[in-house]
PDB file of all heavy atoms in Angstrom:
ATOM      1  N   ASP A 134     -11.252  -1.247   1.896  1.00  0.00           N
ATOM      2  CA  ASP A 134     -10.377  -2.000   0.988  1.00  0.00           C
ATOM      3  C   ASP A 134     -10.139  -1.149  -0.247  1.00  0.00           C
ATOM      4  O   ASP A 134     -10.963  -0.293  -0.588  1.00  0.00           O
ATOM      5  CB  ASP A 134     -11.090  -3.314   0.588  1.00  0.00           C
ATOM      6  CG  ASP A 134     -10.145  -4.391   0.056  1.00  0.00           C
ATOM      7  OD1 ASP A 134      -9.081  -4.051  -0.501  1.00  0.00           O
ATOM      8  OD2 ASP A 134     -10.494  -5.566   0.180  1.00  0.00           O
ATOM      9  N   HIS A 136      -9.733  -2.897  -3.014  1.00  0.00           N
ATOM     10  CA  HIS A 136     -10.262  -3.851  -4.011  1.00  0.00           C
ATOM     11  C   HIS A 136     -11.661  -4.313  -3.634  1.00  0.00           C
ATOM     12  O   HIS A 136     -11.954  -4.502  -2.448  1.00  0.00           O
ATOM     13  CB  HIS A 136      -9.345  -5.074  -4.088  1.00  0.00           C
ATOM     14  CG  HIS A 136      -7.899  -4.716  -4.244  1.00  0.00           C
ATOM     15  ND1 HIS A 136      -7.054  -4.574  -3.158  1.00  0.00           N
ATOM     16  CD2 HIS A 136      -7.159  -4.437  -5.345  1.00  0.00           C
ATOM     17  CE1 HIS A 136      -5.850  -4.225  -3.586  1.00  0.00           C
ATOM     18  NE2 HIS A 136      -5.879  -4.124  -4.907  1.00  0.00           N
ATOM     19  N   ASP A 210      -9.019  -4.003   5.211  1.00  0.00           N
ATOM     20  CA  ASP A 210      -7.894  -4.400   4.368  1.00  0.00           C
ATOM     21  C   ASP A 210      -7.008  -3.164   4.295  1.00  0.00           C
ATOM     22  O   ASP A 210      -7.392  -2.125   3.748  1.00  0.00           O
ATOM     23  CB  ASP A 210      -8.384  -4.812   2.977  1.00  0.00           C
ATOM     24  CG  ASP A 210      -7.232  -5.269   2.085  1.00  0.00           C
ATOM     25  OD1 ASP A 210      -6.094  -4.801   2.291  1.00  0.00           O
ATOM     26  OD2 ASP A 210      -7.479  -6.059   1.166  1.00  0.00           O
ATOM     27  N   ASP A 212      -4.699  -2.205   2.596  1.00  0.00           N
ATOM     28  CA  ASP A 212      -4.351  -1.592   1.305  1.00  0.00           C
ATOM     29  C   ASP A 212      -5.334  -0.498   0.911  1.00  0.00           C
ATOM     30  O   ASP A 212      -5.172   0.152  -0.115  1.00  0.00           O
ATOM     31  CB  ASP A 212      -4.128  -2.631   0.204  1.00  0.00           C
ATOM     32  CG  ASP A 212      -5.366  -3.414  -0.197  1.00  0.00           C
ATOM     33  OD1 ASP A 212      -6.481  -2.890  -0.073  1.00  0.00           O
ATOM     34  OD2 ASP A 212      -5.194  -4.565  -0.665  1.00  0.00           O
TER      35      ASP A 212
HETATM   36 MN1   MN B  14      -7.334  -5.292  -0.970  1.00  0.00          MN
END
Side-chain angles (χ1 to χ4, degrees):
D134 200 332
H136 310 93
D210 182 332
D212 66 28

